[in-house]
Amino acid sequence: MKEFIRLLKMGNKSAMWAAIVNLVVGLIKTAAYLLSGNVAMFAEMMHSFGDAANQFFVFIGSAFSKKAPTERFPGGFGRLVNLVLLGAVLIVGVLAYETIVEGLHHISDTVHSEEGFWLNIGVLGAAALLEGFVLYKAMREITEHLPEEKTRGLKFIPASYKNVKDAKPATKLVFLEDNVAVGGALLALVAIVLATYTPFHSATGYASIIIGIMLILVVGRVFLDNAAGALGAADVKMQARIGAKVLQHPKVNDIQDLDVIKEGDHFHVELKLEVDPQMTIAEADDIRDYIEKRIKEGVRGVTDVIIEFDEDDQVPTWIQPNGKA
């Protein structure tokens, strides 16, 4: 039980906040939908409950991905979060389909009603504010490693969109889903106003379809990212960054091989370095310790570094990002 609680404390905070907020919002929207019967509210209700379930499992998955390696799983549990996210997007995909179908039904069978107008407006406005709070948390988590001058004031907002590709898998899902959540709530607000005060009574049906399509786009993006993560995708940018650091050591003549594999939120680094064949074991061991320490201190998220040595064959192998060997 102590280990279980310890792992939960290491779970993704954005996912935890998203699960709690979406559950509360989902319950509020359920009451509003039962009272008003508004189809845009139904779409928002389904979205919120789907998000709550997803983010709960994502939080649990992100926590258990921090579990230490065991004899049965010596490679650790880093990719567990990717597998959990692959399951989460299936739920979102089903909800997206149901949301689109409900919107199509409403368009084909539109019934004009002003009942519950202010209830729907109040609920969706509150939902947009609560979802905005979760989005704020995700933005802050994405930009927490950036220099302060790049996140001062409101600069963190554009910075979060620029750096979302480098975010932790769980944080990225929260960020993408809550962009849809906030946008969907605002879209539903506009649709309800149009359906109530203009002849465009099917506006809420079209809003439901648009929300469903936005969810499908999130499903596609998250699925592709986490399928690659579950398979163990190499991080080319990180390889170039680590390669440049390693070659700064005066006794490293070349890099024969360098692999940087993303394991959930962390990186696994394997190096094969070419050195002087006359080098002693003690000297090679000092180089190993220095490079491992330098990589772990300079690159966020590196958990283990495996280094092998080979004699220098006098043939340049490692190509720098500028194209030079």
Side-chain angles (χ1 to χ4, degrees):
M1 179 60 76
K2 288 184 178 179
E3 184 181 9
F4 177 75
I5 295 174
R6 180 181 66 82
L7 289 172
L8 286 183
K9 289 180 179 179
M10 293 191 291
N12 186 273
K13 299 299 186 293
S14 293
M16 179 191 72
W17 279 110
I20 295 171
V21 168
N22 278 298
L23 178 60
V24 172
V25 172
L27 292 172
I28 294 172
K29 289 177 180 177
T30 299
Y33 170 66
L34 293 175
L35 290 171
S36 67
N38 187 282
V39 70
M41 186 63 71
F42 174 82
E44 283 295 300
M45 175 195 76
M46 295 288 284
H47 181 201
S48 294
F49 279 131
D51 277 356
N54 279 342
Q55 303 304 344
F56 173 74
F57 287 116
V58 168
F59 171 70
I60 297 296
S62 67
F64 278 88
S65 69
K66 307 296 191 302
K67 184 177 173 64
T70 63
E71 289 186 7
R72 186 177 180 186
F73 300 101
F77 297 83
R79 298 184 194 181
L80 179 62
V81 67
N82 299 115
L83 295 175
V84 171
L85 286 167
L86 286 175
V89 297
L90 293 177
I91 299 174
V92 178
V94 172
L95 293 174
Y97 169 78
E98 292 295 336
T99 301
I100 291 172
V101 169
E102 191 68 24
L104 291 172
H105 287 166
H106 184 72
I107 291 172
S108 61
D109 188 24
T110 301
V111 177
H112 176 57
S113 174
E114 296 185 12
E115 185 178 349
F117 173 79
W118 289 111
L119 172 65
N120 291 328
I121 293 295
V123 168
L124 288 174
L129 290 175
L130 289 170
E131 298 283 10
F133 168 75
V134 176
L135 183 58
Y136 166 81
K137 287 286 188 182
M139 287 178 171
R140 283 299 189 186
E141 193 166 321
I142 290 171
T143 58
E144 64 182 357
H145 66 285
L146 297 177
E148 185 180 350
E149 61 269 15
K150 291 187 177 181
T151 59
R152 190 179 292 115
L154 296 178
K155 290 182 180 179
F156 75 94
I157 296 176
S160 66
Y161 285 93
K162 291 178 182 177
N163 292 275
V164 65
K165 60 182 179 299
D166 299 321
K168 297 175 182 178
T171 305
K172 186 185 294 186
L173 176 64
V174 173
F175 178 81
L176 294 174
E177 282 199 337
D178 275 278
N179 267 282
V180 176
V182 174
L186 296 176
L187 180 62
L189 276 169
V190 173
I192 289 173
V193 172
L194 290 175
T196 304
Y197 293 108
T198 73
F200 188 26
H201 302 314
S202 60
T204 53
Y206 285 101
S208 182
I209 292 173
I210 293 172
I211 293 169
I213 292 172
M214 289 193 295
L215 284 173
I216 289 175
L217 293 176
V218 169
V219 166
R221 172 69 182 273
V222 174
F223 176 82
L224 291 175
D225 287 348
N226 287 280
L231 292 172
D235 192 311
V236 178
K237 289 174 62 178
M238 193 65 76
Q239 285 176 346
R241 184 177 169 189
I242 290 176
K245 285 182 175 293
V246 170
L247 285 178
Q248 289 175 2
H249 196 289
K251 292 186 179 181
V252 174
N253 298 336
D254 196 7
I255 300 175
Q256 196 174 108
D257 193 23
L258 169 56
D259 292 316
V260 180
I261 307 299
K262 194 163 188 180
E263 300 276 358
D265 296 342
H266 305 294
F267 294 99
H268 169 80
V269 181
E270 292 188 16
L271 283 158
K272 192 169 186 179
L273 308 179
E274 292 185 4
V275 296
D276 187 336
Q278 303 302 318
M279 181 178 290
T280 65
I281 293 177
E283 287 177 314
D285 193 52
D286 289 341
I287 293 173
R288 186 200 313 275
D289 292 342
Y290 174 83
I291 290 176
E292 182 176 352
K293 182 180 179 181
R294 183 88 189 276
I295 290 174
K296 287 185 175 180
E297 288 178 348
V299 181
R300 188 171 63 103
V302 173
T303 55
D304 62 319
V305 182
I306 298 175
I307 302 175
E308 297 180 32
F309 293 99
D310 198 3
E311 63 178 320
D312 187 3
D313 59 7
Q314 304 299 320
V315 178
T317 302
W318 182 252
I319 305 297
Q320 297 278 33
N322 58 12
K324 297 180 181 180

